[in-house]
């Protein structure tokens, strides 16, 4: 029905990025972009949303970052919260630090607690507070120091640094070559105490086999308990960790609503300009059977979780259908967003086009803009926004479905209004 819907989405995403940049520019200390290299000297908090981030300098408030590659070397008096793929944190932090990503390295000096969830985690800084670290491979280098208590969860844990308080570990493999001054409780598949290790507190090991203690290692006392280790013993450590990182920490809710509204409006304009007959057919399908349209959309929404995987499996059973199956997965979000756009167009036409004749581009754009503005203004009320968006989506999805299977075309030969 529509020509090149992927082009619609690409244009919408470009407009959305531009809108986000403009919206964020209104806030002091908020940065949005693709590749940001920042030298900061901020008296208040800083929020950064970008692909690649390199930031140095001083911040006298909180620092919040969402990015892909994030490199921070900061002196900050507030909390640091980062969500990314590759994360490196250096400098001095006077408050709590929360990091979530894939590859994470912390070389900073922290005056408070540290919480990390990642895949490969390296700690070579000094932590004055408590530390909670979960990852696949976790390495505490010889330069690392944790003064507070430690909770560590990993597949493989290499403990080479200095831990000065109580330590709780859940891991498949644990290798200790560093210094632990407090009590140690380990649940693991395998525990290896290497020659340079020094454990001054009581060591309790729950494992299928007794810990392997190398000659030269200094362990004050060992309490071995035979224990059937399972992966959930690692997950328990992960589940206790809390990371207060969310989109609302970085971008104002009104800015998010504005970007989505701009995307929807642009898609609506492109659809109306490139396929006016298709849009008129959708509008006509709703005008002919409004209640059936809404209910059809609700039924289609309920069936999507079943229809989508079923169609995917049927396609992958054939060689020709495999690329179509993956195209379906990528195209589905675009099609669902288009359904919301069509719902807004339909409602706008019903409200402002009183003749019932096919609307011209001007009237179509104006009526759709009015609907989008109303939805955007209501975005400050979360429940109302959700309810209204679902209604608009179901109307659009139902009208689109009816238009696809309609046998009669809309009365396109009638004079258009508002052109």
């Amino acid at each position: 029905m529509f020509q090149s819907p992927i082009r619609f989405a690409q244009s919408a995403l470009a407009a959305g990025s531009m809108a986000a940049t403009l919206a964020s520019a209104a806030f002091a200390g908020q940065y949005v972009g693709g590749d940001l290299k920042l030298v900061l000297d901020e008296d208040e908090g800083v929020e950064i949303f970008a692909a690649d981030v390199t930031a140095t300098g001083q911040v006298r408030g909180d620092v919040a970052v969402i990015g892909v590659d994030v490199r921070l070397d900061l002196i900050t008096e507030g909390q640091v919260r980062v969500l990314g793929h590759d994360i490196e944190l250096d400098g001095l932090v006077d408050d709590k630090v929360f990091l979530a990503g894939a590859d994470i390295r912390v070389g900073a000096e922290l005056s408070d607690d540290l919480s990390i969830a990642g895949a490969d985690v390296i700690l070579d800084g000094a932590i004055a507070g408590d530390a909670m670290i979960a990852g696949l491979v976790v390495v505490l280098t010889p330069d690392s120091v944790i003064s507070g208590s430690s909770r560590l969860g990993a597949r493989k844990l290499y403990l080479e640094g200095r831990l000065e308080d109580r330590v709780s570990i859940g891991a498949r493999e644990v290798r200790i070559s560093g210094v632990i001054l407090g009590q140690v409780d380990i649940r693991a598949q395998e525990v290896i105490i290497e020659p340079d290790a020094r454990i001054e507190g009581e060591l309790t090991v729950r494992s299928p086999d007794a810990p392997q203690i190398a000659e030269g290692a200094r362990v004050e006392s060992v309490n071995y308990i035979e224990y059937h280790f399972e992966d959930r013993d690692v997950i328990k450590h992960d589940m206790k960790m809390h990371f207060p990182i969310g989109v609302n920490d970085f971008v104002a809710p009104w800015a998010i609503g504005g970007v989505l509204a701009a995307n929807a409006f642009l898609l609506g304009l492109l659809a109306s300009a490139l396929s006016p007959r298709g849009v008129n057919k959708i509008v006509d399908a709703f005008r002919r059977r409004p209640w059936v349209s809404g209910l059809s959309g609700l039924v289609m929404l309920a069936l999507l979780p079943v229809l989508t995987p079923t169609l995917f499996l049927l396609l992958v059973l054939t060689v020709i259908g495999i690329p179509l199956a993956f195209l379906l997965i990528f195209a589905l979000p675009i099609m669902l967003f288009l359904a919301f756009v069509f719902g807004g167009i339909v409602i706008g036409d019903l409200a402002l086009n009183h003749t019932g004749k096919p609307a011209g581009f001007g009237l179509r754009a104006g009526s759709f803009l009015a609907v989008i503005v109303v939805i955007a203004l209501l975005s400050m009320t979360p429940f109302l926004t959700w309810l209204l968006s679902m209604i608009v989506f179901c109307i659009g999805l139902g009208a689109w479905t009816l238009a696809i299977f309609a046998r009669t075309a809309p009365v396109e030969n009638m004079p258009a209004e508002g052109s």
Side-chain angles (χ1 to χ4, degrees):
M1 181 181 295
F2 292 99
Q3 300 176 358
S4 189
I6 295 179
R7 286 176 54 195
F8 297 168
Q10 291 173 337
S11 301
L13 289 173
S17 299
M18 183 180 298
T21 303
L22 294 175
S24 300
F27 287 90
Q30 188 173 72
Y31 301 89
V32 177
D35 185 358
L36 296 181
K37 296 182 179 180
L38 306 173
V39 179
L40 302 172
D41 185 7
E42 301 285 348
D43 291 328
E44 298 180 355
V46 172
E47 299 172 344
I48 303 172
F49 186 87
D52 297 338
V53 180
T54 301
T56 60
Q58 184 171 358
V59 179
R60 299 168 189 86
D62 295 345
V63 176
V65 184
I66 288 181
V68 180
D69 294 330
V70 180
R71 307 286 184 267
L72 303 179
D73 189 353
L74 298 171
I75 299 174
T76 176
E77 299 176 5
Q79 294 185 2
V80 174
R81 293 168 289 168
V82 182
L83 177 63
H85 185 271
D86 294 340
I87 302 171
E88 291 188 8
L89 177 63
D90 293 293
L92 302 172
V93 182
D94 286 342
D95 208 331
K96 293 180 173 60
V97 172
F98 304 89
L99 307 175
D103 297 332
I104 301 174
R105 185 191 67 82
V106 177
E109 294 185 18
L110 278 58
S111 300
D112 209 319
D113 300 341
L114 170 68
S115 296
I116 297 178
D120 294 335
V121 179
I122 298 176
L123 175 65
D124 54 14
I127 316 301
D130 299 337
M132 293 186 292
I133 302 175
L136 295 178
V137 179
V138 176
V139 179
L140 277 61
T141 71
D143 294 329
S144 63
V145 178
I146 301 177
S147 299
S149 62
S150 305
R151 184 183 302 154
L152 310 173
R155 294 294 181 90
K156 293 186 178 182
L157 173 64
Y158 300 92
L159 203 164
E160 303 167 358
R162 179 184 178 92
L163 282 67
E164 299 179 348
D165 204 337
R166 182 183 178 90
V167 180
S168 176
I169 296 173
R172 281 190 180 179
E173 178 183 334
V174 179
R175 290 181 175 268
I176 300 176
S177 59
V179 176
I180 303 177
L181 304 182
Q183 182 178 344
V184 186
D185 189 338
I186 300 177
R187 287 176 170 83
Q189 184 72 32
E190 183 181 15
V191 178
I192 300 173
I193 312 296
E194 298 186 341
D196 295 333
R198 176 161 62 94
I199 301 176
E200 296 188 358
E202 181 183 4
L203 172 62
T204 300
V205 176
R206 294 174 173 85
S207 177
D209 302 307
Q212 304 173 35
I213 303 177
E215 185 178 354
R218 291 181 290 171
V219 181
E220 185 172 293
S221 64
V222 179
N223 179 25
Y224 167 64
I225 301 173
E226 187 174 353
Y227 179 79
H228 178 65
F229 177 83
E230 297 181 1
D231 285 339
R232 65 183 181 183
D233 293 300
V234 176
I235 297 174
K236 286 178 182 178
H237 285 73
D238 298 356
M239 295 299 290
K240 294 178 182 178
M241 302 175 70
H242 173 61
F243 294 88
I245 301 175
V247 174
N248 288 343
D249 293 322
F250 304 90
V251 183
W254 69 266
I256 298 173
V259 170
L260 293 177
N263 284 337
F265 182 62
L266 180 61
L267 276 176
L269 291 184
L270 290 173
S272 299
L274 298 179
S275 185
R277 296 178 61 185
V279 173
N280 286 336
K281 189 174 181 181
I282 292 173
V283 171
D284 185 69
F286 177 77
R287 281 184 172 272
R288 291 175 184 273
R289 292 182 289 177
W291 291 105
V292 175
S293 177
L295 290 175
S296 298
L298 187 62
V299 171
M300 288 295 296
L301 179 62
L303 292 177
L304 275 176
V306 177
L307 292 177
T308 303
T310 301
L311 182 58
F312 179 84
L313 290 175
L314 291 176
L315 288 173
V316 297
L317 291 178
T318 62
V319 176
I320 298 177
I322 291 177
L324 295 177
F326 288 98
L327 180 62
L328 170 69
I329 299 301
F330 286 109
L332 183 61
I334 300 174
M335 308 307 285
L336 294 179
F337 193 55
L338 276 172
F340 174 82
V341 169
F342 293 149
I345 291 176
V346 164
I347 294 173
D349 188 272
L350 186 66
L352 298 181
N353 182 12
H354 302 295
T355 65
K357 300 176 182 178
F361 183 79
L363 180 58
R364 180 81 73 216
S367 61
F368 182 44
L369 177 61
V371 173
I372 289 298
V373 169
V374 170
I375 295 176
L377 290 175
L378 293 174
S379 63
M380 300 305 294
T381 308
F383 174 76
L384 187 59
T385 304
W386 177 85
L387 179 62
L388 182 59
S389 298
M390 288 301 299
I391 292 174
V392 174
F393 173 78
C394 288
I395 288 175
L397 183 60
W400 195 4
T401 303
L402 293 179
I404 292 174
F405 295 101
R407 295 182 179 179
T408 58
V411 285
E412 296 176 317
N413 295 327
M414 299 180 66
E417 294 292 327
S419 56

